[in-house]
Amino acid sequence: MHNKKSECLHEYIDVFRDFINGKISKQPKPDEDFDVFVKRMLKLNSQKDWNFLCSSMDLIGDTTLAVDNFFQFGVDGPTKYNDFGEKYLRLYGVLNSIYIQQEAVYRICKIANLSTHSKHKKSLESLEIRDVRHKLGAHSVDYMDKNSDEIHSFVPVRIELGGLNVSYVNNADLSMHSINLSKALEEHLDLMMDMLHDVMDKLKRTLYKSNPEKISEIEQVLDALSAKRRGAVVHKVDGKYSVLIDFGAPQT
C-alpha cells in the first residue's frame, strides 16, 4: 500500500527541483563560469552550496523511494519467508534513510538562509522516529540520555519485529518500548514537507522579487500542494496544478 504523504513529498521535491532548474535555465554571461553563474542566480553564499543543493535534492528523492517501499512491505519485506536478516536490514535501512533525508532537507534550509531553520532543527530533534533511529540504528550501545547523562543500550525484540511496528528493550532498566512506524514516519514526512514548503515560500521572494507573475505561479503551486496534503483532489496538467475538490479548505 502506497502512502499519500510519501506521494506528496515526491511532488514537493519535484516542484523544488523544477523551481531551481527554472532559475538557472538562462545562459551565463560571456566568460562566466557555471559555478559563478549558479551562485549569482540562486543567491548562494558559496559556490560549494550548489554541490550540496544537488546532492540534497537527489538524496531526498532516493530516500523517499526507500520510505515508499517500507510503507508497502513493512519490516517483513516482499519475501514470502520469515527471514529475520531481511527484517533487520529493512528496519536499520529505513531508520537511516529517514535520518539522511532529514539532514538533506535541513541542509537545503540552511542554504536558503531560512530564518526558521533553528526552529526546524528543534522539530527534527523531537521526532519520535529520529530518537528511535539514534537508539536502534546508530547508537545502540552508546546512546547518551540527555536528561541523566547516562549511557544506555537498546535492542529490538526479535519476536515482535514485523509489519509496521517494532518493540525494543532498554538494557539498563529492562524497560520495553514500542513504536508505530507508520505513524512516526508520517510525522517525519509532514515535517519534511513543512520545511520544503517554507524554503520555497522564502525563495520565491528572494529569487523572483521583481517578477510578481512568477511569485503568483509559485504560490498557486504551493497552495495546491497544501490542499493535496489535507486530502483535496488535485489535478496536474503540463506542470500546472489545479484543485478540483477540497473538503478541508480553511473556513473564511
Side-chain angles (χ1 to χ4, degrees), residues 70 74-77 84-98 129 132-133 136-137 155-158 161-168 179 181 185:
F70 193 82
V75 172
D76 304 282
F84 283 107
E86 169 96 358
K87 292 180 180 182
Y88 284 123
L89 280 172
R90 293 180 65 80
L91 173 64
Y92 297 137
V94 76
L95 291 177
N96 282 292
S97 290
I98 62 96
I129 194 74
V132 171
R133 179 265 173 186
L136 298 182
V155 178
V157 179
R158 178 177 294 188
L161 194 59
L164 289 167
N165 297 283
V166 62
S167 297
Y168 59 96
I179 177 174
L181 291 171
L185 284 170

Side-chain angles (χ1 to χ4, degrees), residues 3-29:
N3 184 273
K4 292 186 181 298
K5 291 184 186 293
S6 184
E7 291 177 4
C8 282
L9 181 56
H10 275 298
E11 293 203 51
Y12 264 96
I13 193 58
D14 286 344
V15 168
F16 182 70
R17 190 184 295 276
D18 290 342
F19 177 89
I20 295 298
N21 289 338
K23 188 63 183 175
I24 61 173
S25 61
K26 299 179 181 179
Q27 292 296 318
K29 295 178 180 179

Side-chain angles (χ1 to χ4, degrees), residues 116-179:
T116 55
H117 79 268
S118 295
K119 180 195 76 172
H120 285 314
K121 184 66 173 178
K122 291 180 180 179
S123 297
L124 285 173
E125 295 294 347
S126 68
L127 284 174
E128 182 182 24
I129 194 74
R130 187 177 175 99
D131 182 55
V132 171
R133 179 265 173 186
H134 294 338
K135 289 177 177 177
L136 298 182
H139 301 286
S140 301
V141 294
D142 61 353
Y143 179 84
M144 176 63 72
D145 188 312
K146 295 179 181 179
N147 295 320
S148 64
D149 289 333
E150 294 180 350
I151 295 177
H152 293 246
S153 63
F154 298 88
V155 178
V157 179
R158 178 177 294 188
I159 61 173
E160 296 189 18
L161 194 59
L164 289 167
N165 297 283
V166 62
S167 297
Y168 59 96
V169 175
N170 181 341
N171 279 324
D173 55 15
L174 299 182
S175 59
M176 180 84 74
H177 307 269
S178 297
I179 177 174

